Amino acid sequence: MKKIITLLLCVAMLCSLASCGKKEEKTTQKDKDITDSKTTLEDVSEENDETLPEDTEPRAEEETDVAEKDVATENKDAESQESEEAPSEEEEAEELEETKECIELPYRQTIAAGYDTSVAIQSDGKITCVGEDSCYATDVVSVDQHRHYICIKSDGSISAGGTKNLLGECNVWEWTDIVAVAAGEDFSVGLKSDGTVVTTGYLYGDFAGVDSWTDIVAIDAGSYTMVGLRSDGTVVAAGSYNQDIEAWTDIVAVSASNGCVVGIKSDGTAIASVTHSEDPRGKVSHWSDLVAVSVALNHVVGLRSDGTVVSTVIEDIEFDWGQCAVSDWTDIVEISANYTHTLGLRSDGTVVSAGRGDKCEVSGWSNIQLP
């Protein structure tokens, strides 16, 4: 019996040993598989670590290069655009000159035929003259002349000269707010921005009442006559003139001298008033297409819109110096007439003249300001 029990125990022990062996084998195989798996993962990780820099670093460098190229291109384009847009020093100087602060005027006069002299404003703002009198002024924007000259500067101040100022015709330095000036026989007239008028110099009794003029938009003066144009197209005058001008209407421009007043109507036709019916200066009713007029002691000239000029005739040969020989003028933008001569400013800044050569030798003038 004991032998049987001992045999059974031996069998049970053998079975237990066999079972344990299998478990150890399985554990060993499992550990081996885990180890192999870890090895594989490590190998893959190493491969990835080795491959990733090779694949990604060039791309980053390439992207950096592209970005730098784009920035360089943008900078180059910006510099090119800035170079194209940046003005030169000369352009900046010209722009500065063009934008220079200047008084606003309803109209400008840049040439003037005086009694003994011709005067004009150069491109640099200085005035130049020829004839018996000397003249000097700078920074000028508008000028007129009879025996003396009077001018407006860009800052609005007024300057006058050319005579000994014996009658106070040049006493204008205290004038302010002036937008137009006119030089008469020994007197000066200034138009203020409020439409009133100031005067200085020798003004005899027939000039009384000028200081009461209002709503004036343009003025002119010559020998012994002064005229003003109102904003409603009517006209006032002082000195030697015919009172029939008080009935004029629809006038857009006016000029006067020594008993003669000529106006331009809105349709471009001319109307005249003279103190003597035989005065040839009054024969302008057939003129048309006018944009400007200038009355002198012996004749009248008119500027047409096409740049040509018309003139009355001088019947007394004693006073004819050829100042009416303007029929062949072209490309004219401004006119001025006085006792012995007539001036015309061309659109290119040159000046033509007719009359006594010693009073109007202006053939060398150029770069004269346009009105």
Side-chain angles (χ1 to χ4, degrees):
M1 187 65 180
K2 290 181 180 180
K3 291 181 179 180
I4 294 172
I5 292 171
T6 301
L7 182 61
L8 290 172
L9 289 172
C10 289
V11 171
M13 289 176 63
L14 290 172
C15 289
S16 176
L17 290 173
S19 176
C20 290
K22 288 181 179 181
K23 287 181 180 181
E24 289 176 359
E25 183 179 355
K26 288 181 180 180
T27 301
T28 302
Q29 183 66 36
K30 184 176 180 180
D31 293 340
K32 182 180 180 181
D33 292 340
I34 291 173
T35 301
D36 293 340
S37 177
K38 288 182 178 180
T39 301
T40 302
L41 290 174
E42 290 175 355
D43 294 339
V44 171
S45 176
E46 291 176 357
E47 291 178 359
N48 289 340
D49 290 340
E50 295 175 358
T51 305
L52 184 60
E54 295 178 356
D55 292 338
T56 57
E57 288 181 1
R59 290 181 183 177
E61 293 176 357
E62 182 178 358
E63 290 175 357
T64 302
D65 292 341
V66 171
E68 291 176 353
K69 289 180 180 179
D70 291 341
V71 170
T73 302
E74 291 177 359
N75 291 337
K76 185 177 181 180
D77 293 339
E79 291 175 359
S80 176
Q81 183 177 2
E82 184 178 355
S83 175
E84 293 176 356
E85 295 177 354
S88 65
E89 293 182 359
E90 293 180 356
E91 291 173 340
E92 288 179 347
E94 292 177 359
E95 184 178 356
L96 180 62
E97 184 66 21
E98 291 173 357
T99 57
K100 184 179 181 180
E101 184 178 357
C102 179
I103 184 173
E104 292 185 4
L105 305 179
Y107 59 90
R108 295 201 312 134
Q109 185 174 349
T110 61
I111 61 169
Y115 192 88
D116 299 306
T117 313
S118 298
V119 64
I121 307 174
Q122 300 177 119
S123 59
D124 60 2
K126 296 179 181 179
I127 59 174
T128 182
C129 63
V130 63
E132 295 184 3
D133 299 322
S134 61
C135 56
Y136 179 79
T138 60
D139 203 23
V140 176
V141 295
S142 189
V143 65
D144 193 27
Q145 185 176 40
H146 192 67
R147 294 187 185 274
H148 67 289
Y149 69 85
I150 180 172
C151 55
I152 305 176
K153 295 193 172 187
S154 64
D155 62 0
S157 61
I158 310 301
S159 175
T163 64
K164 295 181 179 179
N165 195 28
L166 297 178
L167 298 173
E169 65 273 15
C170 297
N171 295 342
V172 298
W173 53 85
E174 292 184 351
W175 287 4
T176 59
D177 201 27
I178 302 297
V179 295
V181 291
E185 183 76 24
D186 300 322
F187 67 89
S188 298
V189 188
L191 173 62
K192 297 176 74 71
S193 63
D194 63 0
T196 59
V197 173
V198 293
T199 61
T200 187
Y202 178 65
L203 298 164
Y204 53 89
D206 289 342
F207 286 93
V210 172
D211 57 356
S212 65
W213 288 3
T214 59
D215 202 27
I216 305 298
V217 295
I219 56 173
D220 191 38
S223 298
Y224 315 113
T225 307
M226 182 193 311
V227 66
L229 174 64
R230 286 197 169 110
S231 62
D232 61 359
T234 60
V235 176
V236 291
S240 176
Y241 72 100
N242 192 323
Q243 292 185 348
D244 61 357
I245 67 168
E246 296 175 359
W248 287 3
T249 60
D250 198 31
I251 305 299
V252 296
V254 68
S255 182
S257 181
N258 194 33
C260 176
V261 179
V262 177
I264 300 176
K265 306 194 76 171
S266 61
D267 62 359
T269 59
I271 184 172
S273 173
V274 291
T275 54
H276 301 286
S277 58
E278 301 83 8
D279 192 334
R281 295 179 298 171
K283 299 177 182 179
V284 297
S285 59
H286 60 289
W287 290 359
S288 61
D289 200 27
L290 297 177
V291 294
V293 64
S294 183
V295 178
L297 188 64
N298 300 309
H299 68 297
V300 180
V301 290
L303 174 61
R304 288 195 171 112
S305 62
D306 63 358
T308 59
V309 180
V310 292
S311 175
T312 58
V313 297
I314 296 178
E315 296 178 350
D316 191 342
I317 192 172
E318 182 181 354
F319 300 103
D320 188 354
W321 290 279
Q323 61 265 52
C324 299
V326 297
S327 60
D328 60 343
W329 289 4
T330 59
D331 200 28
I332 303 298
V333 296
E334 185 180 357
I335 54 174
S336 182
N338 211 307
Y339 180 46
T340 62
H341 60 288
T342 303
L343 301 179
L345 174 63
R346 285 201 167 108
S347 62
D348 63 358
T350 60
V351 180
V352 292
S353 63
R356 285 185 59 174
D358 59 332
K359 311 298 183 185
C360 57
E361 183 52 55
V362 298
S363 59
W365 286 1
S366 61
N367 296 320
I368 302 302
Q369 289 188 20
L370 302 182

